[in-house]
């Protein structure tokens, strides 16, 4: 993604004398939006960080990509590319955080990004060909630069950023594609059942785990950084009240009896189930 964005940046720089200022500004802004949107998705999927931190990283990327690509067509183009890229960064991070962590999400986002950049390049080439056919004079009339579009973009970015900041605790991070159930694996050497349950900002993943009765259970609760701190795992049926720290937390249950046992995170609306089945 970085290589493709860098290539297109160089591509625009080579043609800055052939494109009109408006066409160059639009192309630079589109590059910034697409690459920052893609980076936002990757950041949300790759790093288990707070949503605001991920957005900040994506906006920084938007500045790094957007300003150099737009400045060749004027200061206004540089600012517009940064603001458009920031909008893409915010939206991309939010969209990426809605999906449960998966390489498939990243791969699809990469493919779409490559295809869209290819389309944008072809549009720029077409515009250049049309300009050459009409043989437009390079001595164009210099117009007074208006920053109206820049102000509109700034207002739009401020509104979107403010909304994400206010609603960040209500965004269902990792809710789409989250696994709903799993069956514990059996470690024959140690004669115990093992299951890993992620604790994320959207709750337990998966929410239901199946075990066999009468065989020791090793449940690993892997708390992601975006889940927050001060978490306590509670289950009245299992008589549990355990403080969880970020990272893996190991819980051993000896001689589990058949039944369905609810587990919750105190102070959070996270609910899950342990289903213990007797062998037939």
């Amino acid at each position: 993604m970085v290589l493709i964005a860098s290539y297109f940046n160089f591509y625009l720089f080579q043609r800055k004398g052939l494109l009109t200022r408006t066409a160059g500004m639009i192309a630079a802004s589109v590059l910034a939006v697409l690459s920052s949107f893609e980076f936002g998705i990757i950041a949300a999927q790759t790093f288990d960080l707070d949503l605001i931190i991920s957005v900040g990283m994506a906006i920084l990327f938007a500045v790094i990509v957007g300003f150099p690509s737009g400045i060749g067509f004027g200061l206004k183009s540089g600012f517009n590319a940064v603001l458009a890229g920031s909008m893409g960064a915010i939206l991309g991070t939010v969209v990426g955080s809605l999906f449960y962590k998966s390489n498939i999400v990243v791969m699809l986002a990469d493919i779409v990004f490559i295809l869209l950049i290819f389309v944008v390049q072809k549009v720029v080439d077409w515009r250049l060909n049309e300009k050459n056919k009409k043989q437009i004079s390079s001595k164009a009339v210099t117009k007074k630069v208006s920053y109206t579009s820049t102000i509109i973009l700034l207002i739009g970015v401020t509104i979107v950023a403010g909304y994400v900041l206010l609603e960040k605790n209500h965004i269902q991070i990792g809710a789409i594609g989250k696994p709903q159930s799993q069956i514990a694996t059996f470690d024959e050497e140690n004669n115990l059942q093992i299951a890993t349950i992620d604790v994320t900002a959207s709750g337990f993943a998966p929410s239901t785990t199946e075990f066999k009765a009468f065989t020791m259970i090793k449940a690993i609760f892997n708390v992601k950084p975006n889940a927050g701190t001060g978490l306590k795992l509670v289950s009245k049926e299992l008589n549990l009240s355990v403080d969880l720290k970020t990272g893996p937390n190991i819980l051993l249950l000896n001689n589990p009896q058949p039944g369905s046992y609810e587990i919750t995170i105190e102070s959070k609306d996270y609910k899950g189930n342990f289903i213990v089945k007797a062998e037939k």
Side-chain angles (χ1 to χ4, degrees):
M1 183 206 70
V2 173
L3 288 175
I4 291 173
S6 300
Y7 161 75
F8 194 78
N9 211 330
F10 178 71
Y11 168 84
L12 287 179
F13 179 79
Q14 282 188 316
R15 290 156 178 79
K16 68 177 182 178
L18 302 174
L19 288 168
T20 64
R21 179 172 293 183
T22 301
M25 180 176 64
I26 293 173
S29 296
V30 171
L31 168 64
V33 168
L34 294 179
S35 56
S36 300
F37 187 89
E38 164 71 1
F39 184 88
I41 293 177
I42 292 176
Q45 286 285 304
T46 305
F47 306 107
D48 292 315
L49 299 172
D50 182 89
L51 180 62
I52 301 303
I53 296 177
S54 297
V55 167
M57 292 172 58
I59 289 178
L60 178 61
F61 180 82
V63 175
I64 294 172
V65 172
F67 194 76
S69 64
I71 193 63
F73 303 96
L75 190 60
K76 173 187 173 181
S77 298
F79 286 147
N80 281 14
V82 169
L83 291 172
S86 298
M87 181 76 77
I90 296 170
L91 296 177
T93 306
V94 172
V95 169
S97 68
L98 295 177
F99 291 87
Y100 189 75
K101 187 175 180 180
S102 170
N103 290 333
I104 296 177
V105 174
V106 176
M107 182 183 69
L108 290 177
D110 287 339
I111 292 173
V112 172
F113 170 72
I114 292 170
L115 291 176
L116 290 178
I117 287 293
F118 175 77
V119 170
V120 173
Q121 180 181 340
K122 290 303 177 184
V123 170
V124 173
D125 288 339
W126 173 77
R127 290 284 298 175
L128 288 174
N129 290 333
E130 288 295 309
K131 181 179 178 181
N132 290 334
K133 288 178 182 178
K134 294 178 181 179
Q135 296 181 344
I136 298 176
S137 173
S138 60
K139 296 180 180 180
V141 177
T142 303
K143 297 180 180 180
K144 185 179 179 181
V145 177
S146 171
Y147 282 87
T148 302
S149 60
T150 306
I151 295 173
I152 293 173
L153 278 171
L154 179 59
I155 294 172
V157 171
T158 303
I159 292 173
V160 173
Y163 179 79
V164 172
L165 182 63
L166 292 173
E167 297 294 323
K168 67 183 182 71
N169 293 327
H170 301 288
I171 296 174
Q172 295 297 310
I173 297 176
I176 302 175
K178 183 175 72 173
Q180 298 302 311
S181 64
Q182 68 174 339
I183 299 175
T185 59
F186 184 66
D187 182 356
E188 294 184 2
E189 184 177 349
N190 296 299
N191 192 35
L192 56 79
Q193 305 174 82
I194 302 175
T196 299
I197 301 100
D198 289 334
V199 182
T200 71
S202 62
F204 295 109
S207 56
T208 300
T209 304
E210 294 184 9
F211 299 95
K212 294 179 180 179
F214 314 120
T215 302
M216 179 176 284
I217 293 173
K218 179 182 179 181
I220 304 171
F221 289 89
N222 187 27
V223 179
K224 302 293 185 179
N226 60 24
T229 58
L231 305 180
K232 179 173 285 189
L233 178 69
V234 176
S235 175
K236 293 181 179 179
E237 293 92 342
L238 295 173
N239 194 28
L240 289 177
S241 181
V242 180
D243 292 324
L244 299 178
K245 66 181 189 312
T246 301
N249 299 262
I250 299 175
L251 177 67
L252 296 176
L253 299 174
N254 189 31
N255 194 31
Q257 301 299 306
S260 179
Y261 305 93
E262 184 180 73
I263 55 175
T264 61
I265 295 293
E266 197 174 70
S267 77
K268 297 276 188 177
D269 190 25
Y270 300 166
K271 294 182 180 180
N273 288 283
F274 280 2
I275 298 178
V276 181
K277 295 182 177 181
E279 290 188 280
K280 295 181 181 180

